[in-house]
Amino acid sequence: MSQYQKDVAAMTELKNKQGAPWNAISPEYAARMKAQNRFKTGLDIARYTAAIMRKDMAEYDQDSSQYTQSLGCWHGFIGQQKMLAVKKHQGTTNKSYLYLSGWMVAALRSEFGPLPDQSMHEKTSVSSLIEELYTFLRQADARELGKLFDELDAARAAGKDTSAIQTQIDEYETHVVPIIADIDAGFGNEEATYLLAKKMIEAGACCIQIENQVSDAKQCGHQDGKVTVPHEDFLAKINAVRYAFLELGVDDGVIVARTDSLGAGLTQKIPVSQSKGDLAAQYNAFLETTPVNSVDDLGEGDSVLKLDGKLVKPVRLPNGLYKFKENTGFDRVVLDCVTSLQNGADLLWIETEKPHVGQIGDMVRAIREQAPNAKLVYNNSPSFNWTLNFRQQVFDAWAEAGKDLSDYDRALLMSAQYDSSELALEADEKVRTFQADAAREAGIFHHLITLPTYHTAALSTDNLAKGYFGDEGMLAYVKGVQRQELRQGLACVKHQAMAGSDLGDTHKEYFSGDQALKASGEDNTMNQFDVVA
């Protein structure tokens, strides 16, 4: 007996116990509503999706072709439409996640208006977006199951076999998938990180990504001026997130430790070493210093360190920040990653300045010498100029191989004149296979694009505005939007139904029977879309 049939039987038994006062209650309708609301709380979602991520991580360890993907979503509707599209085109939501980008929360969801990615937005806007995303995904489930229940009723009324439809109901795959949620640098001290992590987990997050920048000086990973914290400070925040998971009963919650050290040349704090070679000592060894031979080498307020048996003065900027030595980013990344994995993190995020499989792979191989199962979450960032980067990579590879490059100017490779060239086509193929190549050669378990739907919203709006306010007028919308929705089978062409009017009608019928005042009658203009597209 399926879970749906068990619920019908349980509801029938309950109704019979209650007697006459429950005569109007349909056990099957109650079972349907229960099936359409499988996840009662955000913690139910967090526990369910954490298990999915753990399964996917184990499968990737066995076969690197089994990597996972996500797109960043800044609104519940965007996340819902993404997962509807994934399920429609791929036939399953398997290996597909959502990403919640702190950048997009700052730019699009703050009451202050658009903000830079510097942890200036309200903390609770992060957990609120998680809750919103899952509300929309659960509504997608309710809508899709509602259609199956309508088909079941129609088949029964026609005296047809209902077994195939019943199987679809019993084996229904939810749109609820894991969210990798960005907590930035923790929005304060470790207690602040713990409190916000709890809110995020309670909203449904099974995976929290945290970075090793200074919280009150946090910068976007693709901008300058990044300042990292000592390992001890970062590990305290990893511990805070783990305690939040454990307190709430999400025992297999996932923590992504992000390092910005590759592009960060500054630190705000010099940690205190307790013993030779400890983490503080290793961190301080990367500082740029000058020798101290006498008190005359010191300025007013200067600090002095003993490093490798010598007295040195760390180089300090006018703003009080300390500099790291040049060309230490690689080694600092490796130490950050190994240390994080050895102290409770599950996955790594390395913020790089370009999408280069070789560069990422070199770092991962160095990390895996000490942490063999190290796996990455990687930002396929819109901050990279992918076209230019990969054309330059192909150009450089051809130059090294001695290939004739007289038809190309490396400085102008972004030009449209090259779009159909042999070099551009090879570069595009490398872009196409980048995720599979990096999963195989650079240990990337999860590929995401942080803010793609920010750009798609801007591009589609620009195209519509160009035609609508120009010579095309209404044709710009009809030809460029509505007709394409119909041709491509987008459910949201029936926007009333997508917003819940059909679900509401069904519930009205449950509650009021024949007296229900429904919106989906013959005068509903949405019926105009019941045509062969």
Side-chain angles (χ1 to χ4, degrees):
M1 182 183 293
S2 69
Q3 185 59 50
Y4 175 70
Q5 292 165 330
K6 290 178 182 177
D7 287 339
V8 172
M11 295 296 182
T12 300
E13 182 179 355
L14 181 59
K15 175 184 175 179
N16 291 338
K17 287 181 180 178
Q18 297 299 323
W22 280 32
N23 280 347
I25 300 298
S26 163
E28 184 153 24
Y29 291 168
R32 290 179 179 184
M33 295 178 77
K34 184 177 179 182
Q36 289 171 300
N37 186 27
R38 172 179 172 182
F39 303 99
K40 306 303 185 287
T41 70
L43 287 176
D44 292 336
I45 292 172
R47 295 184 188 107
Y48 169 77
T49 53
I52 291 175
M53 279 199 73
R54 292 290 178 177
K55 174 186 71 69
D56 289 346
M57 290 160 66
E59 290 176 358
Y60 173 82
D61 285 339
Q62 297 300 314
D63 178 0
S64 64
S65 71
Q66 298 301 301
Y67 61 89
T68 57
Q69 298 170 291
S70 66
L71 296 174
C73 300
W74 52 272
H75 191 278
F77 176 73
I78 300 297
Q80 178 197 65
Q81 294 304 301
K82 187 196 107 171
M83 293 317 304
L84 285 169
V86 168
K87 197 171 178 183
K88 180 178 77 172
H89 294 296
Q90 307 302 323
T92 178
T93 62
N94 186 41
K95 303 291 188 292
S96 300
Y97 302 169
L98 293 182
Y99 180 68
L100 185 149
S101 161
W103 192 101
M104 285 208 285
V105 173
L108 299 170
R109 300 303 300 257
S110 173
E111 292 184 11
F112 293 101
L115 293 172
D117 182 21
Q118 296 172 354
S119 291
M120 296 165 63
H121 54 279
E122 306 87 345
K123 296 180 184 181
T124 52
S125 58
V126 182
S127 52
S128 294
L129 179 53
I130 296 170
E131 183 176 7
E132 178 181 293
L133 285 162
Y134 280 128
T135 296
F136 274 78
L137 294 181
R138 291 158 70 190
Q139 192 256 16
D141 281 351
R143 180 181 173 278
E144 295 297 304
L145 279 166
K147 289 165 59 178
L148 290 173
F149 292 140
D150 288 344
E151 292 177 22
L152 182 64
D153 290 340
R156 284 175 178 171
K160 296 180 179 178
D161 179 23
T162 61
S163 58
I165 300 171
Q166 187 64 59
T167 298
Q168 291 183 62
I169 294 170
D170 296 339
E171 297 178 356
Y172 178 80
E173 182 183 40
T174 178
H175 292 88
V176 169
V177 296
I179 288 179
I180 296 177
D182 185 359
I183 199 172
D184 281 6
F187 286 87
N189 62 22
E190 57 268 45
E191 174 69 4
T193 301
Y194 154 76
L195 292 172
L196 179 54
K198 277 183 61 177
K199 283 287 186 185
M200 293 167 68
I201 298 162
E202 288 168 342
C206 72
C207 178
I208 292 178
Q209 165 216 327
I210 186 165
E211 63 199 63
N212 70 334
Q213 290 192 49
V214 175
S215 182
D216 60 358
K218 181 257 190 301
Q219 294 276 22
C220 173
H222 293 277
Q223 294 184 321
D224 204 357
K226 294 183 289 295
V227 185
T228 63
V229 298
H231 295 96
E232 295 89 342
D233 293 15
F234 188 54
L235 297 181
K237 292 188 175 182
I238 289 177
N239 290 338
V241 175
R242 180 63 67 202
Y243 274 113
F245 274 125
L246 294 174
E247 177 182 335
L248 295 172
V250 186
D251 297 345
D252 52 357
V254 179
I255 298 174
V256 179
R258 167 177 155 175
T259 174
D260 281 280
S261 289
L262 194 63
L266 303 170
T267 186
Q268 189 180 56
K269 181 177 174 182
I270 298 177
V272 177
S273 176
Q274 303 295 328
S275 60
K276 186 175 181 178
D278 64 9
L279 278 176
Q282 293 177 67
Y283 189 79
N284 293 339
F286 291 117
L287 292 171
E288 183 175 324
T289 61
T290 58
V292 175
N293 298 310
S294 72
V295 71
D296 293 333
D297 293 329
L298 298 175
E300 190 70 24
D302 276 348
S303 300
V304 176
L305 293 177
K306 180 182 177 183
L307 291 180
D308 294 328
K310 299 176 183 178
L311 291 181
V312 295
K313 177 178 68 174
V315 174
R316 185 168 58 176
L317 304 180
N319 57 16
L321 298 174
Y322 297 93
K323 288 182 64 177
F324 288 115
K325 297 173 188 173
E326 295 291 333
N327 302 315
T328 60
F330 183 102
D331 292 332
R332 285 185 283 125
V333 163
V334 173
L335 179 60
D336 292 344
C337 291
V338 171
T339 300
S340 294
L341 290 176
Q342 290 175 341
N343 289 272
D346 302 291
L347 295 168
L348 301 171
W349 174 312
I350 300 174
E351 197 67 62
T352 66
E353 83 283 2
K354 61 181 179 290
H356 192 288
V357 173
Q359 179 197 45
I360 305 164
D362 287 345
M363 287 186 284
V364 169
R365 282 185 286 275
I367 294 163
R368 284 182 167 175
E369 288 179 6
Q370 299 177 67
N373 284 331
K375 293 180 283 295
L376 298 191
V377 171
Y378 187 71
N379 177 10
N380 293 222
S381 177
S383 294
F384 302 140
N385 185 330
W386 286 77
T387 300
L388 181 61
N389 264 290
F390 276 82
R391 287 181 183 181
Q392 289 178 340
Q393 288 180 37
V394 172
F395 183 97
D396 294 342
W398 284 8
E400 187 176 347
K403 191 165 183 175
D404 180 15
L405 292 166
S406 58
D407 291 337
Y408 302 98
D409 183 338
R410 192 180 190 280
L412 299 176
L413 287 177
M414 187 63 205
S415 174
Q417 67 177 320
Y418 293 124
D419 283 356
S420 59
S421 67
E422 181 187 0
L423 184 147
L425 294 176
E426 181 168 329
D428 282 353
E429 179 62 13
K430 287 185 176 296
V431 173
R432 187 187 72 82
T433 64
F434 172 78
Q435 294 190 341
D437 294 343
R440 181 183 63 253
E441 299 172 23
I444 297 178
F445 158 73
H446 185 79
H447 283 280
L448 61 91
I449 308 178
T450 41
L451 40 142
T453 51
Y454 178 91
H455 292 280
T456 55
L459 179 61
S460 61
T461 301
D462 181 82
N463 287 333
L464 175 59
K466 176 176 62 178
Y468 179 75
F469 292 101
D471 294 339
E472 286 186 281
M474 191 59 193
L475 182 61
Y477 174 77
V478 172
K479 184 178 179 181
V481 180
Q482 190 179 81
R483 192 178 298 165
Q484 295 306 312
E485 289 177 310
L486 284 163
R487 295 285 184 259
Q488 297 179 42
L490 266 68
C492 72
V493 72
K494 288 190 171 185
H495 48 261
Q496 306 283 18
M498 183 58 68
S501 64
D502 287 3
L503 279 172
D505 280 354
T506 298
H507 291 162
K508 289 175 186 177
E509 195 168 10
Y510 290 175
F511 307 153
S512 303
D514 293 339
Q515 297 180 24
L517 181 63
K518 299 194 289 185
S520 57
E522 62 182 24
D523 291 332
N524 188 323
T525 59
M526 289 287 100
N527 296 332
Q528 296 173 19
F529 298 112
D530 292 329
V531 294
V532 176

